[in-house]
Amino acid sequence: MHDRTYVFRTHVDCEYGRDIPSSWFYVIATSKEEAQDKALEYIKGVNDFRHNAHSTFLDKSRVITKAVFERTLTFHSPLAINYESA
């Protein structure tokens, strides 16, 4: 099976509202299920970083609540969280 690039959109829970659509990110995987697992690991890592960051510039009230699958791309995006150049 060939790797594909899966597009996800994060949703955030912040002081202004719940479950607000936010930014997109890309994951390269062999299946949608594998991409969803990698997406979950990614948002857990981002949330942990924001929670544990010692920077005053990060808004710690914003939490990524989920990553929603949007679509599949026909090419490997260099913006993917796990992109490796050939």
Side-chain angles (χ1 to χ4, degrees), residues 72-85:
T72 304
L73 300 179
T74 58
F75 59 91
H76 289 320
S77 172
L79 301 174
I81 61 171
N82 58 340
Y83 177 78
E84 294 181 15
S85 59

Side-chain angles (χ1 to χ4, degrees), residues 52-79:
N52 296 323
H54 300 289
S55 173
T56 58
F57 299 109
L58 291 176
D59 180 7
K60 294 181 183 179
S61 67
R62 289 185 72 178
V63 176
I64 299 174
T65 56
K66 62 184 173 181
V68 178
F69 171 74
E70 294 266 322
R71 64 186 178 280
T72 304
L73 300 179
T74 58
F75 59 91
H76 289 320
S77 172
L79 301 174

Side-chain angles (χ1 to χ4, degrees), residues 1 24 43 49 56 60 70:
M1 184 177 261
W24 286 278
I43 63 174
F49 175 77
T56 58
K60 294 181 183 179
E70 294 266 322

